[in-house]
Amino acid sequence: MTLKDVAKRANVSVSTASKALRNSFDVSESTRLRVVEAAQALGYFHEKKKVTAENHRPNGWTFAVLCPEVISPRYSAAVQEIAAAVKNAGCNTVIYNTGFDQEEVHAIARACVDDPRIDAVLSLAELRNFTATVPVVVFSEQASPTCSTVHIDLDSALSAIRDKYDGISTVVAGEQLTRNYRRQIQSWLPCDEIIGRGRYDQAGADAAAQLLKRPSLPDLIICTYDEIAYGLIAHLTDHGVVIPHDTEVIAINNSYASRWVHDGVSAVSFDYGDVFQEVVRDVIADLQQKRVTPRHRCVSSRFIERNTTK
């Protein structure tokens, strides 16, 4: 299978097909999708990737895992789950710390796709409109026609929270990078939002300081990371606020420390379960059959009540 075959099927020139598969800016989105669909239908692989894949034993495949920041408990927990699933499949993992800048994330992802030593990419960082002829799996809120996605479904947990707290005053506290969570929460539970300066517990402490300047505290504060909740709780209690009597606090992620902070922080927990094992099996199936088949997996969530809610 050659690029010429892909171009013929998509009814474009070979140069246009090449540009489309490299995400070139001068190819329209409709043309790009048509070329990708043709490449997927024909089982086309970039030649050097194809040669590499053919020379690999099934247990020799290497997965590149793109992680925005390795110090975050949220991302490190996901990376550990992925690495364990990859290891259980007899394959290898290489981890790239990407940051959050879209251009940088895309550049790293593209370098991985073009690297003959890497066979598949699993990205915890968002990749928008990314095209590849090797298996790529992206954590994303929306399904993609060109790569597989894993979606974290907050609906079940947020539904339980909404049923319990419907009609009370609610604030979502977070940092600049957590707007996606806030948008999802606001679609389920009417709420105000407050952005703390800094990162993690510093952002939580700053959000608490801003809340203390208001005439009254909200009935409920939902923190978009556990670490934000830790900083917020510490600052509020230092200033005489009694939790959960004066205000209730819920964190999102349910990191290990949430069982112990403030005798237990109520939290939204993500149930990764077998999702990563299923994703790895999907990728291996594509590698074996030399194809790219976009699939969409879902991570469910649940609400765990502890000491910071009544």
Side-chain angles (χ1 to χ4, degrees):
M1 185 56 54
T2 67
L3 185 61
K4 184 177 180 180
D5 297 317
V6 174
K8 182 178 180 181
R9 184 181 180 100
N11 195 27
V12 297
S13 67
V14 173
S15 62
T16 298
S18 176
K19 289 179 181 179
L21 295 177
R22 288 185 285 109
N23 285 332
S24 180
F25 68 92
D26 56 350
V27 175
S28 69
E29 180 66 9
S30 60
T31 299
R32 183 180 71 83
L33 288 174
R34 194 164 74 250
V35 172
V36 170
E37 288 171 358
Q40 291 173 347
L42 294 173
Y44 172 82
F45 268 51
H46 189 285
E47 188 61 29
K48 64 181 178 181
K49 299 289 290 188
K50 180 179 179 181
V51 171
T52 303
E54 287 175 344
N55 290 336
H56 269 315
R57 298 187 311 276
N59 64 355
W61 282 311
T62 297
F63 290 65
V65 179
L66 310 190
C67 179
E69 49 187 6
V70 294
I71 63 171
S72 165
R74 174 194 170 203
Y75 289 116
S76 63
V79 167
Q80 289 180 55
E81 292 273 357
I82 293 169
V86 173
K87 183 178 180 180
N88 287 340
C91 298
N92 311 299
T93 304
V94 179
I95 300 171
Y96 291 82
N97 189 11
T98 66
F100 291 92
D101 180 77
Q102 271 290 296
E103 289 188 10
E104 182 67 14
V105 173
H106 271 255
I108 293 172
R110 180 54 54 192
C112 289
V113 167
D114 291 338
D115 189 334
R117 297 167 297 180
I118 293 173
D119 304 290
V121 177
L122 278 70
S123 181
L124 298 175
E126 188 172 1
L127 283 171
R128 299 171 190 159
N129 299 321
F130 189 79
T131 302
T133 51
V134 297
V136 175
V137 184
V138 182
F139 267 60
S140 176
E141 298 303 322
Q142 296 180 334
S144 167
T146 59
C147 60
S148 295
T149 55
V150 176
H151 168 63
I152 293 180
D153 179 17
L154 285 173
D155 289 358
S156 53
L158 293 182
S159 178
I161 293 171
R162 181 192 60 183
D163 291 344
K164 179 176 180 178
Y165 293 100
D166 187 36
I168 72 168
S169 61
T170 306
V171 164
V172 177
E175 56 185 50
Q176 199 67 43
L177 293 172
T178 56
R179 284 196 174 275
N180 282 342
Y181 279 163
R182 288 199 293 274
R183 280 196 291 267
Q184 289 188 68
I185 293 167
Q186 286 169 328
S187 69
W188 281 85
L189 188 68
C191 54
D192 187 12
E193 71 174 22
I194 188 164
I195 300 174
R197 290 181 288 271
R199 299 296 313 277
Y200 304 120
D201 57 329
Q202 293 180 345
D206 184 70
Q210 294 180 53
L211 287 171
L212 288 171
K213 294 178 182 178
R214 297 186 176 187
S216 62
L217 288 172
D219 298 312
L220 173 66
I221 304 170
I222 301 177
C223 298
T224 52
Y225 288 159
D226 293 55
E227 297 76 25
I228 290 173
Y230 306 158
L232 180 137
I233 290 169
H235 191 87
L236 290 180
T237 53
D238 283 348
H239 288 77
V241 176
V242 179
I243 298 172
H245 182 268
D246 296 327
T247 185
E248 300 181 55
V249 178
I250 296 172
I252 294 181
N253 196 44
N254 192 39
S255 298
Y256 182 77
S258 290
R259 306 175 192 179
W260 316 112
V261 173
H262 203 74
D263 293 327
V265 176
S266 297
V268 170
S269 176
F270 302 144
D271 184 14
Y272 291 117
D274 297 329
V275 170
F276 289 131
Q277 294 182 42
E278 294 167 356
V279 166
V280 170
R281 285 198 295 267
D282 291 343
V283 170
I284 290 175
D286 277 359
L287 288 169
Q288 290 173 334
Q289 299 180 45
K290 299 181 178 65
R291 67 182 185 190
V292 176
T293 307
R295 301 178 178 88
H296 314 292
R297 299 286 186 180
C298 183
V299 176
S300 61
S301 63
R302 58 194 174 97
F303 176 40
I304 300 175
E305 293 205 65
R306 297 193 180 103
N307 192 50
T308 58
T309 52
K310 298 175 183 177

